[in-house]
């Protein structure tokens, strides 16, 4: 998500995920309570969210977000950095991929579509606006299967959880070289690794 790139440059599909040191997105029962998100890291996420063009999520991830963030800033225990994210999340466009939800516009600037169509995703990249962020384990696997990810932002948390959903599902052996574009260590021990397609 580079705000300095030229106007004519196509926006990217960015896979932004938090992962354990041993490579899991979530535990066996979708646990994410091992995430170590303090105010510094949360502010970093807020700053990124401000610059993106929208979110691409699956049904489960969207519902988890929609169950809390639309009214999070009304909670007396909500911190200022969380309240800021709530406002940002509400206003950002979202595409929710689901075969069970009714297609079309829904709450919180979200639109439901039934499936990932690679040609439609490539067309989205040609529209104006910031980069598009992919979230959710199942949807990430689908985007990877169709080779639709341009950039990986992996936030490695200093914890081993032992089992769960891996960041990268097993596939046939096919090395895909990437270019390391950025690293950043946060005070709480989380490390950002940002990779881009080789040659970009």
């Amino acid at each position: 998500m580079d705000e300095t790139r030229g106007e004519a440059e196509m926006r990217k599909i960015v896979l932004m995920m938090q992962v354990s040191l041993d490579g899991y997105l979530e535990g066996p029962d979708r646990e994410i309570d091992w995430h170590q998100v303090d105010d510094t890291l949360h502010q970093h996420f807020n700053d990124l969210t401000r610059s993106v063009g929208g979110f691409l999520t699956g049904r489960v991830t969207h519902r988890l977000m929609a169950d809390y963030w639309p009214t999070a800033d009304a909670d007396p225990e909500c911190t200022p950095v969380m309240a800021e994210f709530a406002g940002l999340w509400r206003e950002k466009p979202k595409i929710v991929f689901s075969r069970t939800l009714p297609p079309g516009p829904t709450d919180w600037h979200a639109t439901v579509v039934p499936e990932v169509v690679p040609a439609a995703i490539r067309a989205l990249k040609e529209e104006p606006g910031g980069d598009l962020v992919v979230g959710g384990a199942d949807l990430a696997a689908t985007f990877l299967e169709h080779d639709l990810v341009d950039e990986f932002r992996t936030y490695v948390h200093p914890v081993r959880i032992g089992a769960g959903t891996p960041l990268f599902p097993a596939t046939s052996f096919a090395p895909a070289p990437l270019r390391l574009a950025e690293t950043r260590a946060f005070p709480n021990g989380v490390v950002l690794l940002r990779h881009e397609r080789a040659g970009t």
Side-chain angles (χ1 to χ4, degrees):
M1 284 169 278
D2 183 357
E3 296 176 80
T4 65
R5 69 176 190 261
E7 290 284 333
E9 188 172 344
M10 189 179 299
R11 59 183 178 172
K12 297 177 182 177
I13 302 296
V14 180
L15 177 56
M16 189 167 79
M17 302 295 275
Q18 303 191 62
V19 63
S20 65
L21 183 61
D22 49 351
Y24 295 103
L25 298 175
E26 57 191 10
D29 296 313
R30 294 190 177 273
E31 301 96 336
I32 57 171
D33 54 354
W34 48 270
H35 285 183
Q36 300 181 26
V37 181
D38 59 8
D39 280 353
T40 300
L41 184 56
H42 210 308
Q43 186 62 57
H44 168 79
F45 291 144
N46 289 3
D47 295 341
L48 286 176
T49 298
R50 190 175 293 107
S51 71
V52 304
F55 295 103
L56 311 176
T57 66
R59 174 184 57 84
V60 172
T61 298
H62 178 70
R63 282 188 168 170
L64 285 172
M65 300 292 284
D67 282 346
Y68 180 70
W69 289 111
T71 59
D73 46 0
D75 185 342
E77 297 185 5
C78 183
T79 66
V81 71
M82 293 171 65
E84 180 185 33
F85 181 80
L88 292 168
W89 184 87
R90 281 194 298 261
E91 296 304 316
K92 287 293 177 180
K94 307 162 192 70
I95 297 178
V96 182
F97 296 88
S98 172
R99 294 188 179 95
T100 58
L101 297 176
T106 184
D107 296 337
W108 314 118
H109 300 283
T111 301
V112 177
V113 298
E115 60 186 321
V116 175
V117 178
I121 301 301
R122 296 186 183 101
L124 274 177
K125 292 173 57 175
E126 296 180 357
E127 295 180 3
D131 293 333
L132 300 168
V133 174
V134 178
D138 294 338
L139 187 64
T142 301
F143 270 68
L144 290 169
E145 178 185 355
H146 291 294
D147 193 28
L148 293 171
V149 177
D150 301 304
E151 179 176 303
F152 299 83
R153 297 187 70 101
T154 310
Y155 293 85
V156 183
H157 289 247
V159 57
R160 292 187 298 113
I161 66 172
T165 305
L167 171 59
F168 297 110
T171 62
S172 58
F173 181 72
L178 300 169
R179 182 179 70 86
L180 180 63
E182 179 186 1
T183 63
R184 176 175 174 182
F186 293 87
N188 65 355
V190 173
V191 175
L192 163 64
L193 301 174
R194 182 166 71 89
H195 292 86
E196 298 174 339
R197 289 177 181 269
T200 60

